[in-house]
Amino acid sequence: MAPVVGGGVAGETFHKVNFAAPRSFAAAFKSDLKETLFPDDPFHDFKGKPLPIKAKKALQYFVPIFEWLPKYTRKLFMYDLLAGITIASLAIPQGISYAKLANIPPIIGLYSSFVPPLIYSVFGSSKHLAVGTVAASSLIIAATIEAKVNPIENPQLYLNLVFTATLISGVTQLILGVFRLGILVDFLSHSTITGFMGGTATLICLQQLKGIFGLKHFTTHTDMVSVIRVILKNRKEIRWESTVVGVVFLVFLQFTRFVKQKKPKLFWVSAIAPMVVVVTGCVFAYVAHVEKHGIAIVGDLKKGINPSSLKNLDFDPKYLSAPIQAGLVTAMIALAEGIAIGRSFAIMENQQIDGNKEMIAFGLMNIIGSFTSCYLTTGPFSKTAVNYNAGCKTQMANVVMSICMMLTLFFLAPLFSYTPLVALSAIIMSAMLGLIEYDKAYHLYKTDKFDFIICMAAFFGVAFISMDVGLMLSVGLALLRALLYVARPASSKLGNIPDTSVYRDMEQYPGAIDIPKTLILQLGSPIYFANSGYLRERILRWVRDEQAKKASEGDDVEHVILDFGGVTSIDITGVETLVEIRRSLEVKDIKVVIVNPRLEVMEKLIVTKFIDKIGKERVFLSIEDAIEGCNFSLTHQKDCGSEER
Amino acid sequence: MAPVVGGGVAGETFHKVNFAAPRSFAAAFKSDLKETLFPDDPFHDFKGKPLPIKAKKALQYFVPIFEWLPKYTRKLFMYDLLAGITIASLAIPQGISYAKLANIPPIIGLYSSFVPPLIYSVFGSSKHLAVGTVAASSLIIAATIEAKVNPIENPQLYLNLVFTATLISGVTQLILGVFRLGILVDFLSHSTITGFMGGTATLICLQQLKGIFGLKHFTTHTDMVSVIRVILKNRKEIRWESTVVGVVFLVFLQFTRFVKQKKPKLFWVSAIAPMVVVVTGCVFAYVAHVEKHGIAIVGDLKKGINPSSLKNLDFDPKYLSAPIQAGLVTAMIALAEGIAIGRSFAIMENQQIDGNKEMIAFGLMNIIGSFTSCYLTTGPFSKTAVNYNAGCKTQMANVVMSICMMLTLFFLAPLFSYTPLVALSAIIMSAMLGLIEYDKAYHLYKTDKFDFIICMAAFFGVAFISMDVGLMLSVGLALLRALLYVARPASSKLGNIPDTSVYRDMEQYPGAIDIPKTLILQLGSPIYFANSGYLRERILRWVRDEQAKKASEGDDVEHVILDFGGVTSIDITGVETLVEIRRSLEVKDIKVVIVNPRLEVMEKLIVTKFIDKIGKERVFLSIEDAIEGCNFSLTHQKDCGSEER
């Protein structure tokens, strides 16, 4: 860092402003790139360590199992064993249900809880995340691929495209992680996710009415209107037997949730409830031959673990657009869900989760999953919460779940073929009802109307148009707001808080005192092309208003002090605008003074020669100095600055 | 404004923070809307005036001719007369040339300098803007509509679509103006416009080689590669006679520009040069029968003023996409060019230009133009500069030009039919060479590499792909930068400047002093969904680094003071992130203190109950107060705050 140079009208009276030469472009670029892609500085531990330790640390960083497995103890395993068995009991019904939601054979759902958790336990960095299939992604895959291929007429092609979509999703996640583009996930705001989840959950609930009512004909459209219309049209197909069983199961599941809410210690009641429903359903179906009464069962679950699906991957250009679309959308959604959930639980335990590393783990598990007859997996909220509550300590819980699933696939799979579809519908519906967060939406409404609109755009977009339209609408609105934030930055007039050297917004602090002959403006946010036109208008308006106000008091404006403390950066258009503002004000005999430019802004002002133009004596470290400086120039050098006009 | 309430650990020791109740949603929304759409507060003169005066002022506001005409004097007219005749002499060659560029009959170019200037003189608010056709928009219209209809095979349909595009462009501009969406034009940065103009000028220059070389065959593609390829392919068609004449004219025109640059007082030399070229060309063509030597002439210019083109407007859905695309793109480009130019000259004279009002004037002139056989007009830079230099005083100069054009159309049009095409090509080329701003690009390179990249993206995109791709690429990059500004806001560690109560960035002011047991962080820009994840990581990293640094000095971090002075707004995700940060830090026994939240941020923190959560005694007006407060709690209440954890 170069030494501090010059500054101040009368050198010694004022505190020195740093006019050091700007950093080189390479230095500034490197620092910007680091902030953009490595905000968490993952390699801060590496500095000054010898090479073998660096290599070991790097291995532990990229493959977390090398970090936790050496420290693993028998005691930790007891916790993980219990948690693993618990989540396996959830994985079986969820696997079958969500596979049904995606219109693929139920056994694929079970396969998907075997391989991916193993991969995650090697590469994943979250201790609590339980890997599995999720409803939202299952529905998106189904909706997108159904548009190209009918899953009933051409089930094999449909399944192949689902595997292809999974591969594309995994590759996307891997690429995002490797290039550290976790920043993209940041653009899915909480409000968007709340609305999107709510909308998707509503759709899925409606779709489950097919199972609950035991309907034979249904629509491949996913929007609310089509689904309600098809139910009304086929209302004569509704089977009361199925409906009764479904409602009973649903009431039971909702009751266990209610119990959990009232007594969080009884969380296991709601955790095992889906398994209870499935087992009860199977027994009931086996004993009562329910198929004869219009209650369909899953049917045909082959014994044995995942076959290879390498040859199933289908890149036929005729259909490729569907898996690409499904893959890209689900990659983002799955990441947003998985990372947000992993992060939430990590925060509870005061641990750090690296979003980019999680992306790599998710990407690898989906790539390998697509080769071994699995479809898209991520970290579902329900399973992860159960895992955490069941006391899991490390990623070993996923390994335990994986082994349980393997045993199930080898020995128990045929038993589950008696599962009534209506039981699965009830399980899905119950899970979905928990995802519609009325409270959160109401909270948004009360606290931030624009966030509420973003949330509702996602909800209604998903419910009435389609999932991607809803998502894009909501993200678009959120981006619009982001752009408006930068296009219309706040500025305020400052006044002196009595008996202090502090200057604050006069609207916020009505007691603050005006400074004679001076207008102090605080700017915020970067100044650049998108807001420089606005800022010019706004500053000139501030000046005009202040002139009118001061004129009515027999005073006038001779100095405009611009507080740059809140200006984080500036571009060429911004600097040109400053030049214009200065010119416009000097015509009115008003001098512009700048206070406290930040490092990056100062660099740009020096390199564009703006500082030379206004003169170093017009740049101050604090508002107090600036006011003193202005008074000094008013009394001692009435015409100071006129020579440079 | 509600009264100032509470604050400070020990009430009287500290300055009071304003915890006033938030404004209502309606009040905040109204204020935001006003800042977004009416940043210049156009009606500030109206307050408290009686209705008739308000009505008169409104009329004068919306139809500026009512403001300037009543004050008009004979002396002003003498200035405007001279300026009007001068720009008319420029309008004739430019009108014919640019019409040729747009592949429409040359007479349309003359028509376009008759009606639109009249409309602008009524509704326009710039005193210096001279209305006319421009090269960039002419080329865009040609490129877009040629893609649908061949102008040589089907000239009438092509012309009709050009009128339709003009109408769509006018309607777009009118709508943007009425809804005060001038903000959209803000998103075209100076860098984008520099690159776009340079790229377009390069393309147009290359295209003029057709005229200079006297080629008969050419391409309808506009990209550089196609144009160069077709010239090389048809090199045997090159006529030396045409080339010699073209080069002579071009050298003459460039020489007059050079004269103007060296002696700005001789600006009229370059102003009348195009007219000299056209007249010389006509005489030469008439005397030497140049057609026989391979030098084509304009041919066939009918006497008489604009016929109606109402029946020509063509909304056939088969072709409609082309005029819509051309209309939307040219509307934006023409606005950006016209408003920027009007504004530049207004600033020189210290006048205000209302971009939204200009949009309405441009919109009306293009709508009415499309009904009277005119194509797209705006305020071209060359003509406006000549108008200003010729001493124009009001919009009357446009009226004078309009009358000159009318006289030309009635009496002189046939004379111009001898104009050699090569003369027009030379005029266009010369104008274009002036639009390639090497200096500006070099300045960008020296001062802001990212702005340079934005500029080059527009330049190379336009030159090698197509105009809309180039424009979108460049605007996309600029928006990406805008989003990165908000996604990765600057934060810095503050230290005390010795002997003051001022706290500044310790990187910028290496002399600033660390505070024991305390870390002071300055945040900038809004905190919201797109950057809250980053800010959490960054703040935790600051804390980690500071802990390491302080530990090496035998100290530790007990308080983190967040300076919110630069935070202009916050959304729900941002508030949730603050809650998370606070939780993470409290686990490490570090207390979070907030300094100087702005009005809007304070409202959001109150309504979301964040202030209640951290306690009002943790919010301070200034960093100095906060440090005193922290020391106070360290010495007097060792465990202060632990009860609320």
Side-chain angles (χ1 to χ4, degrees):
Chain A
M1 178 55 73
V4 176
V5 217
V9 173
E12 41 294 324
T13 356
F14 302 109
H15 306 298
K16 283 175 180 172
V17 176
N18 184 357
F19 292 110
R23 293 169 297 174
S24 73
F25 171 68
F29 183 74
K30 195 180 152 199
S31 144
D32 283 356
L33 201 69
K34 191 183 160 203
E35 285 305 319
T36 306
L37 302 181
F38 297 90
D40 54 344
D41 192 15
F43 304 111
H44 69 284
D45 264 358
F46 286 36
K47 275 169 211 144
K49 298 274 162 61
L51 195 66
I53 293 189
K54 265 191 189 167
K56 192 181 151 208
K57 273 194 178 283
L59 186 68
Q60 289 181 342
Y61 175 76
F62 288 111
V63 190
I65 198 170
F66 287 108
E67 203 191 334
W68 62 264
L69 200 59
K71 303 179 206 153
Y72 202 66
T73 61
R74 203 166 148 261
K75 200 178 153 204
L76 287 176
F77 180 68
M78 295 316 294
Y79 283 106
D80 286 336
L81 183 66
L82 179 68
I85 293 173
T86 311
I87 52 175
S89 81
L90 199 62
I92 297 168
Q94 273 192 356
I96 300 176
S97 315
Y98 295 153
K100 215 188 121 256
L101 198 59
N103 289 322
I104 52 179
I107 193 84
I108 304 290
L110 298 183
Y111 290 161
S112 303
S113 294
F114 170 45
V115 175
L118 284 180
I119 311 291
Y120 184 82
S121 62
V122 175
F123 294 101
S125 56
S126 163
K127 296 193 187 313
H128 307 115
L129 200 85
V131 170
T133 55
V134 286
S137 298
S138 303
L139 193 67
I140 293 174
I141 288 188
T144 317
I145 297 183
E146 266 176 11
K148 282 267 174 185
V149 176
N150 188 317
I152 295 155
E153 291 169 11
N154 206 341
Q156 190 57 48
L157 175 61
Y158 179 87
L159 180 60
N160 292 351
L161 293 178
V162 170
F163 289 143
T164 314
T166 304
L167 176 65
I168 291 168
S169 192
V171 171
T172 309
Q173 293 173 332
L174 185 66
I175 290 173
L176 289 176
V178 169
F179 288 99
R180 300 193 67 85
L181 294 173
I183 186 172
L184 287 179
V185 175
D186 288 350
F187 283 99
L188 294 175
S189 69
H190 290 200
S191 314
T192 296
I193 290 177
T194 305
F196 180 78
M197 291 284 195
T200 313
T202 309
L203 280 191
I204 296 176
C205 275
L206 280 174
Q207 292 218 316
Q208 296 319 308
L209 291 177
K210 180 194 176 194
I212 302 273
F213 291 153
L215 297 179
K216 290 224 180 309
H217 296 94
F218 215 65
T219 171
T220 56
H221 291 281
T222 53
D223 64 299
M224 242 167 114
V225 176
S226 310
V227 173
I228 292 179
R229 187 181 291 150
V230 79
I231 291 174
L232 291 179
K233 199 180 131 202
N234 299 329
R235 60 186 175 279
K236 287 193 183 141
E237 282 185 10
I238 294 175
R239 300 291 300 242
W240 68 266
E241 301 94 331
S242 173
T243 311
V244 167
V245 174
V247 169
V248 167
F249 280 147
L250 189 60
V251 168
F252 167 72
L253 288 163
Q254 287 300 92
F255 175 74
T256 62
R257 276 176 175 274
F258 176 76
V259 168
K260 185 179 109 183
Q261 246 171 26
K262 289 283 147 190
K263 305 216 169 191
K265 284 207 169 175
L266 296 178
F267 73 89
W268 55 269
V269 174
S270 101
I272 61 160
M275 199 63 198
V276 170
V277 165
V278 167
V279 171
T280 316
C282 285
V283 172
F284 177 64
Y286 185 74
V287 173
H289 297 287
V290 291
E291 314 91 276
K292 294 178 187 159
H293 303 280
I295 299 181
I297 59 170
V298 166
D300 194 28
L301 284 176
K302 269 188 306 208
K303 271 189 193 176
I305 58 163
N306 308 17
S308 161
S309 58
L310 263 176
K311 60 186 182 311
N312 294 57
L313 297 173
D314 187 334
F315 298 99
D316 186 342
K318 199 169 146 197
Y319 306 111
L320 198 58
S321 68
I324 286 178
Q325 196 194 339
L328 292 180
V329 174
T330 53
M332 295 298 290
I333 304 266
L335 283 182
E337 186 173 356
I339 293 173
I341 288 163
R343 203 171 249 165
S344 313
F345 286 97
I347 283 168
M348 288 193 203
E349 303 270 295
N350 193 31
Q351 288 160 349
Q352 287 275 95
I353 290 277
D354 178 347
N356 294 298
K357 243 160 78 184
E358 286 292 280
M359 288 187 184
I360 294 176
F362 285 180
L364 288 174
M365 88 189 178
N366 282 318
I367 292 172
I368 297 173
S370 74
F371 299 158
T372 53
S373 303
C374 303
Y375 82 109
L376 192 80
T377 45
T378 178
F381 184 71
S382 53
K383 230 169 170 176
T384 307
V386 168
N387 197 22
Y388 179 79
N389 284 323
C392 77
K393 294 289 168 203
T394 68
Q395 290 88 322
M396 187 58 86
N398 275 312
V399 178
V400 173
M401 167 175 75
S402 200
I403 292 169
C404 291
M405 290 309 297
M406 188 184 70
L407 295 176
T408 307
L409 284 168
F410 270 133
F411 304 111
L412 304 174
L415 297 184
F416 289 109
S417 60
Y418 284 96
T419 318
L421 293 186
V422 63
L424 299 181
S425 290
I427 292 169
I428 296 176
M429 255 184 130
S430 168
M432 291 306 113
L433 289 174
L435 287 184
I436 307 177
E437 300 174 274
Y438 314 96
D439 306 354
K440 179 114 188 222
Y442 182 72
H443 178 68
L444 287 179
Y445 175 75
K446 288 307 267 184
T447 53
D448 195 324
K449 302 290 188 285
F450 205 102
D451 264 314
F452 179 70
I453 293 173
I454 289 170
C455 173
M456 287 298 108
F459 182 87
F460 287 106
V462 168
F464 289 104
I465 309 174
S466 75
M467 262 180 281
D468 37 355
V469 170
L471 197 62
M472 279 193 290
L473 206 67
S474 179
V475 171
L477 275 175
L479 285 183
L480 183 72
R481 182 195 213 183
L483 288 175
L484 278 181
Y485 270 143
V486 291
R488 293 290 182 258
S491 58
S492 49
K493 182 187 157 187
L494 303 185
N496 182 228
I497 303 280
D499 310 321
T500 68
S501 61
V502 172
Y503 293 80
R504 290 291 177 261
D505 183 358
M506 291 189 67
E507 193 189 345
Q508 189 177 6
Y509 293 95
I513 301 167
D514 238 350
I515 311 297
K517 301 205 179 300
T518 308
L519 169 63
I520 311 172
L521 293 179
Q522 182 180 33
L523 309 178
S525 95
I527 299 180
Y528 67 119
F529 73 97
N531 64 24
S532 59
Y534 164 78
L535 268 179
R536 186 186 45 228
E537 303 290 339
R538 192 67 187 87
I539 289 175
L540 295 180
R541 192 173 119 211
W542 277 117
V543 172
R544 213 169 52 204
D545 292 352
E546 186 69 10
Q547 279 181 318
K549 182 176 164 288
K550 282 213 164 41
S552 71
E553 296 162 357
D555 193 12
D556 65 346
V557 180
E558 301 195 355
H559 285 97
V560 171
I561 298 177
L562 299 177
D563 180 358
F564 267 52
V567 178
T568 42
S569 49
I570 192 164
D571 76 349
I572 294 294
T573 314
V575 176
E576 283 170 6
T577 304
L578 286 183
V579 174
E580 281 175 19
I581 292 171
R582 176 171 169 268
R583 202 188 295 146
S584 304
L585 292 180
E586 297 237 322
V587 173
K588 299 182 183 176
D589 262 327
I590 298 171
K591 294 188 186 66
V592 175
V593 167
I594 285 181
V595 168
N596 185 26
R598 288 185 180 209
L599 184 56
E600 204 186 319
V601 175
M602 183 63 109
E603 286 176 357
K604 198 54 61 64
L605 293 181
I606 291 175
V607 85
T608 53
K609 313 237 183 284
F610 182 76
I611 296 287
D612 295 346
K613 262 180 223 154
I614 73 161
K616 285 186 179 173
E617 69 280 4
R618 293 281 183 76
V619 184
F620 295 92
L621 189 63
S622 69
I623 297 177
E624 212 183 0
D625 284 359
I627 291 173
E628 261 181 69
C630 293
N631 288 337
F632 182 80
S633 81
L634 280 180
T635 44
H636 295 265
Q637 318 169 230
K638 238 335 191 185
D639 53 354
C640 141
S642 58
E643 73 279 1
E644 11 148 358
R645 212 181 293 159
Chain B
M1 180 51 75
V4 176
V5 217
V9 173
E12 39 297 322
T13 355
F14 301 109
H15 307 297
K16 283 175 179 169
V17 177
N18 184 357
F19 292 109
R23 292 168 299 172
S24 73
F25 170 68
F29 183 74
K30 197 179 149 199
S31 144
D32 283 356
L33 201 69
K34 193 183 158 203
E35 286 304 320
T36 306
L37 301 182
F38 297 90
D40 53 344
D41 192 15
F43 304 112
H44 70 284
D45 265 359
F46 287 35
K47 273 170 213 144
K49 297 275 162 63
L51 194 65
I53 292 188
K54 265 190 188 167
K56 194 181 148 205
K57 273 193 179 285
L59 187 67
Q60 289 181 341
Y61 175 77
F62 287 111
V63 190
I65 196 170
F66 288 109
E67 203 190 333
W68 62 265
L69 200 59
K71 302 180 207 153
Y72 202 66
T73 62
R74 204 166 146 259
K75 199 180 152 201
L76 287 176
F77 181 68
M78 295 316 294
Y79 283 105
D80 286 337
L81 183 66
L82 180 69
I85 293 174
T86 311
I87 52 175
S89 79
L90 199 62
I92 296 168
Q94 274 193 354
I96 300 177
S97 317
Y98 295 153
K100 213 185 123 262
L101 198 59
N103 288 322
I104 53 179
I107 194 82
I108 303 290
L110 298 182
Y111 292 161
S112 302
S113 293
F114 170 44
V115 175
L118 283 179
I119 311 291
Y120 184 81
S121 63
V122 174
F123 295 101
S125 57
S126 162
K127 296 191 189 311
H128 308 115
L129 199 84
V131 170
T133 54
V134 286
S137 298
S138 302
L139 193 67
I140 294 174
I141 288 187
T144 318
I145 298 184
E146 267 177 10
K148 282 268 175 186
V149 176
N150 188 316
I152 294 155
E153 290 169 11
N154 207 341
Q156 190 57 49
L157 176 61
Y158 179 86
L159 180 61
N160 293 350
L161 292 178
V162 170
F163 290 143
T164 315
T166 305
L167 176 64
I168 290 168
S169 191
V171 171
T172 309
Q173 294 174 332
L174 185 67
I175 290 172
L176 290 176
V178 168
F179 288 98
R180 302 194 65 85
L181 294 174
I183 186 174
L184 287 179
V185 175
D186 288 351
F187 283 99
L188 294 174
S189 70
H190 290 201
S191 315
T192 296
I193 291 179
T194 304
F196 181 77
M197 291 285 195
T200 313
T202 309
L203 280 192
I204 296 177
C205 275
L206 280 175
Q207 292 217 314
Q208 295 319 307
L209 291 177
K210 181 195 174 195
I212 302 273
F213 291 153
L215 297 179
K216 291 227 180 307
H217 296 93
F218 215 65
T219 171
T220 57
H221 291 282
T222 54
D223 64 299
M224 244 167 112
V225 176
S226 312
V227 172
I228 292 179
R229 187 181 293 151
V230 78
I231 291 174
L232 291 180
K233 197 180 130 199
N234 298 328
R235 62 188 175 277
K236 287 192 185 148
E237 283 185 11
I238 294 176
R239 302 293 299 242
W240 68 267
E241 301 93 331
S242 176
T243 311
V244 167
V245 175
V247 169
V248 168
F249 281 146
L250 190 59
V251 168
F252 169 71
L253 288 164
Q254 286 300 91
F255 176 73
T256 63
R257 277 175 174 274
F258 176 75
V259 167
K260 185 179 108 184
Q261 245 171 27
K262 288 284 148 187
K263 305 215 168 190
K265 285 209 168 174
L266 295 178
F267 72 91
W268 56 269
V269 173
S270 98
I272 61 159
M275 199 64 197
V276 169
V277 165
V278 167
V279 171
T280 316
C282 285
V283 172
F284 177 65
Y286 185 74
V287 173
H289 297 284
V290 292
E291 315 91 277
K292 295 178 187 161
H293 302 281
I295 299 180
I297 59 171
V298 166
D300 194 28
L301 285 177
K302 267 189 308 204
K303 269 187 195 178
I305 57 165
N306 308 20
S308 161
S309 58
L310 263 175
K311 58 185 185 311
N312 294 56
L313 296 172
D314 187 332
F315 298 99
D316 186 341
K318 199 167 146 198
Y319 306 111
L320 199 58
S321 67
I324 286 178
Q325 195 194 339
L328 292 180
V329 174
T330 54
M332 297 297 290
I333 303 266
L335 282 180
E337 187 174 357
I339 293 173
I341 288 163
R343 205 172 247 166
S344 313
F345 286 98
I347 284 167
M348 288 193 201
E349 303 270 293
N350 194 31
Q351 288 160 351
Q352 287 275 95
I353 289 278
D354 179 347
N356 294 298
K357 242 159 78 181
E358 286 291 282
M359 289 186 183
I360 295 177
F362 285 0
L364 288 174
M365 87 189 178
N366 282 319
I367 292 172
I368 298 174
S370 73
F371 299 159
T372 54
S373 304
C374 303
Y375 84 108
L376 192 80
T377 46
T378 178
F381 184 72
S382 54
K383 232 170 170 176
T384 306
V386 168
N387 198 21
Y388 179 79
N389 284 324
C392 77
K393 294 291 166 199
T394 68
Q395 290 87 327
M396 186 58 86
N398 275 312
V399 178
V400 172
M401 169 175 72
S402 200
I403 292 170
C404 291
M405 291 309 298
M406 187 182 72
L407 296 176
T408 306
L409 286 168
F410 270 134
F411 305 111
L412 305 174
L415 296 184
F416 289 107
S417 58
Y418 284 96
T419 319
L421 293 186
V422 61
L424 300 181
S425 291
I427 292 170
I428 296 176
M429 256 185 126
S430 167
M432 290 307 110
L433 290 175
L435 288 183
I436 307 177
E437 301 174 276
Y438 313 96
D439 306 352
K440 180 113 188 225
Y442 182 71
H443 178 67
L444 287 179
Y445 175 75
K446 286 308 266 185
T447 53
D448 194 325
K449 300 291 189 285
F450 204 102
D451 263 315
F452 179 70
I453 293 172
I454 290 171
C455 174
M456 287 298 107
F459 183 87
F460 287 106
V462 168
F464 288 103
I465 310 174
S466 75
M467 263 182 279
D468 37 355
V469 171
L471 197 63
M472 279 193 291
L473 206 66
S474 177
V475 171
L477 275 176
L479 286 184
L480 183 72
R481 182 196 212 179
L483 289 175
L484 278 181
Y485 269 143
V486 291
R488 293 289 182 259
S491 58
S492 48
K493 181 186 158 190
L494 303 186
N496 182 227
I497 304 281
D499 310 321
T500 68
S501 61
V502 172
Y503 293 81
R504 291 292 176 262
D505 182 358
M506 291 188 67
E507 193 188 346
Q508 190 177 7
Y509 294 96
I513 301 166
D514 239 349
I515 312 295
K517 301 207 180 299
T518 308
L519 169 63
I520 311 173
L521 293 178
Q522 181 180 34
L523 309 178
S525 95
I527 300 179
Y528 67 119
F529 73 95
N531 63 25
S532 58
Y534 164 77
L535 269 178
R536 185 188 45 230
E537 303 291 340
R538 193 66 187 87
I539 289 174
L540 296 180
R541 192 172 118 211
W542 277 117
V543 172
R544 212 168 56 204
D545 292 353
E546 186 70 11
Q547 278 180 319
K549 181 177 165 289
K550 282 215 164 39
S552 70
E553 296 161 356
D555 192 13
D556 64 345
V557 180
E558 299 195 353
H559 286 97
V560 171
I561 298 179
L562 299 177
D563 180 359
F564 266 53
V567 177
T568 44
S569 48
I570 192 164
D571 78 348
I572 295 294
T573 314
V575 175
E576 283 169 7
T577 303
L578 286 183
V579 174
E580 280 176 19
I581 292 171
R582 178 173 167 266
R583 201 188 297 145
S584 305
L585 292 180
E586 298 236 321
V587 172
K588 299 183 184 177
D589 260 329
I590 298 173
K591 294 188 185 67
V592 175
V593 168
I594 284 180
V595 168
N596 184 27
R598 287 184 181 211
L599 185 55
E600 205 187 320
V601 175
M602 182 64 106
E603 285 176 358
K604 198 55 58 65
L605 293 181
I606 290 175
V607 85
T608 52
K609 314 239 184 282
F610 182 76
I611 295 288
D612 295 347
K613 258 179 226 156
I614 72 162
K616 284 186 180 174
E617 70 282 2
R618 294 282 183 77
V619 184
F620 294 92
L621 189 62
S622 68
I623 297 177
E624 214 183 359
D625 283 358
I627 291 174
E628 262 182 67
C630 294
N631 288 337
F632 182 80
S633 80
L634 280 181
T635 43
H636 295 264
Q637 316 169 230
K638 243 324 193 190
D639 53 353
C640 142
S642 58
E643 74 279 2
E644 7 146 4
R645 212 181 296 161

